[in-house]
Amino acid sequence: MTATTASTASAPPPAGAAPASQPASAPRPEPGALHGPVLQWFHEHARDLPWRRPEAGPWGVMVSEFMLQQTPVSRVLPVYTQWLKRWPRPADLAAEAPGEAVRAWGRLGYPRRALRLHAAATAIKERHNGDVPKRHAQLLALPGIGEYTAAAVASFAYGQRHAVLDTNVRRVYARLVGGTEFPPGATTAVERRVARELLPDEDAEAARWGAATMELGALVCTARKPDCGSCPVAALCAWRLAGHPAHAGPPRRTQSYAGTDRQVRGRLLAVLRDADGPVPQQRLDAVWHEPVQRARALDSLVSDGLVEPLADGLYRLPQT
DNA sequence: TAATCGTGGTC
DNA sequence: TGACCAAGATT
């Protein structure tokens, strides 16, 4: 509520300029002191994203959550729009071959998500009368839905009270409450407890809180260049109060890509996506020079159900 | 638990 | 320029 855009908030120092160490126990902000400023900030700065509009419905929310798993909003937007136009209900997607989902997925990456979304739509049609289920446990039982996505759909689509703990929220809490720049590699029990404790009591407000903290992490409390001057809770932030200490502990491992099986898989699948029908092995062989790795990548795609082998050395996207 | 799974933008 | 990062799930 109060405008906390204090000009005293300074940009974090470059990594390496570690300040003096401080006691590990900075006073934890009271939940009530955080809710107002963050929710007000969200009210003023939330992006107008299609899956946040009422007309998106639970299916729209669910599709967006699948696509946004590890993929930036800017790249999801056009695919999301086409997807919902083509398959406005789960049953519409379930009625098509899984390969069509893989094709429409385009270059969003991690194409197994497309397969799982198709499988989830099929399960929704068969087990839930074609409606995206409301209960967290039912959502969690669907293919491709884990702890985060189940909470996100239950919260954003149905207004329920669930702790939504994605990479944005984890980073916000690590800084705001934990006083450290980044959260641990894997989600911990302590993080879940903090998330539960900070969750507002009322359903609707809790749902807005989840979206607001995610948005804060996406727009202000970013990984590379946090804009503390624009943060509604900078005055309460343990990390800022400690002088923006640099990341301690082991370096976060970065994933390689060039030369890996993933790159080969990506190239193979791109050929099949862009082809109308079955493709001869020869065309797949052209995407990678090394035959052993090439064969391994193709085998793994078949094993994943992303590619269907036919007779005579032909391959295609899965029809069944 | 840690490794695996795509792709493209940013600094 | 290449390392880092992006609304995770699965095994």
Side-chain angles (χ1 to χ4, degrees):
Chain A
M1 198 66 86
T2 47
T4 34
T5 46
S7 57
T8 54
S10 59
S21 60
Q22 74 291 337
S25 59
R28 174 173 299 181
E30 288 298 319
L34 299 173
H35 295 161
V38 170
L39 291 171
Q40 178 64 27
W41 173 88
F42 185 59
H43 179 70
E44 293 168 358
H45 298 281
R47 290 168 292 180
D48 178 24
L49 299 170
W51 44 86
R52 286 179 178 164
R53 296 175 187 166
E55 60 263 32
W59 174 237
V61 171
M62 181 173 148
V63 169
S64 78
E65 291 302 337
F66 270 74
M67 292 182 173
L68 288 164
Q69 291 168 1
Q70 301 285 280
T71 302
V73 166
S74 60
R75 284 172 47 208
V76 165
L77 281 170
V79 181
Y80 170 87
T81 302
Q82 291 305 107
W83 192 283
L84 281 198
K85 193 158 92 179
R86 182 171 177 183
W87 299 305
R89 299 164 304 180
D92 300 319
L93 177 59
E96 290 233 31
E100 284 308 297
V102 174
R103 193 190 310 278
W105 196 256
R107 306 188 69 82
L108 287 183
Y110 293 144
R112 291 191 292 197
R113 291 181 294 165
L115 227 43
R116 290 172 183 151
L117 181 51
H118 181 275
T122 303
I124 288 172
K125 179 184 175 185
E126 293 174 352
R127 310 207 288 254
H128 302 290
N129 263 326
D131 293 320
V132 176
K134 293 187 178 182
R135 297 185 45 218
H136 185 275
Q138 295 175 321
L139 290 162
L140 198 55
L142 295 173
I145 293 191
E147 182 62 38
Y148 161 75
T149 303
V153 173
S155 183
F156 302 153
Y158 294 118
Q160 297 171 24
R161 185 178 182 274
H162 291 282
V164 172
L165 205 49
D166 79 322
T167 186
N168 286 304
V169 179
R170 294 185 62 212
R171 187 176 55 250
V172 168
Y173 288 168
R175 291 171 177 169
L176 183 62
V177 177
T180 62
E181 182 172 18
F182 294 121
T187 306
T188 66
V190 170
E191 288 183 272
R192 293 192 184 89
R193 182 172 57 76
V194 168
R196 280 198 310 271
E197 290 173 355
L198 290 182
L199 203 56
D201 291 330
E202 287 187 45
D203 286 346
E205 187 174 329
R208 272 184 288 128
W209 172 255
T213 47
M214 285 176 66
E215 192 78 337
L216 190 64
L219 298 183
V220 173
C221 195
T222 59
R224 290 191 183 172
K225 230 167 73 72
D227 182 11
C228 300
S230 302
C231 178
V233 286
L236 301 172
C237 177
W239 186 52
R240 194 188 69 90
L241 292 172
H244 297 116
H247 176 64
R252 302 180 297 161
R253 45 180 294 280
T254 166
Q255 53 182 7
S256 56
Y257 179 64
T260 63
D261 285 7
R262 286 155 78 182
Q263 185 180 22
V264 185
R265 284 166 55 105
R267 289 192 183 183
L268 290 169
L269 206 55
V271 171
L272 293 167
R273 268 199 319 261
D274 297 338
D276 279 335
V279 165
Q281 169 120 31
Q282 183 182 359
R283 281 188 58 195
L284 296 177
D285 289 346
V287 308
W288 200 254
H289 53 90
E290 213 289 304
V292 173
Q293 187 179 24
R294 197 175 61 217
R296 184 173 65 232
L298 183 54
D299 281 349
S300 72
L301 285 172
V302 172
S303 173
D304 285 347
L306 283 162
V307 172
E308 194 171 287
L310 303 174
D312 304 324
L314 292 173
Y315 295 87
R316 68 178 178 188
L317 296 179
Q319 295 305 298
T320 56

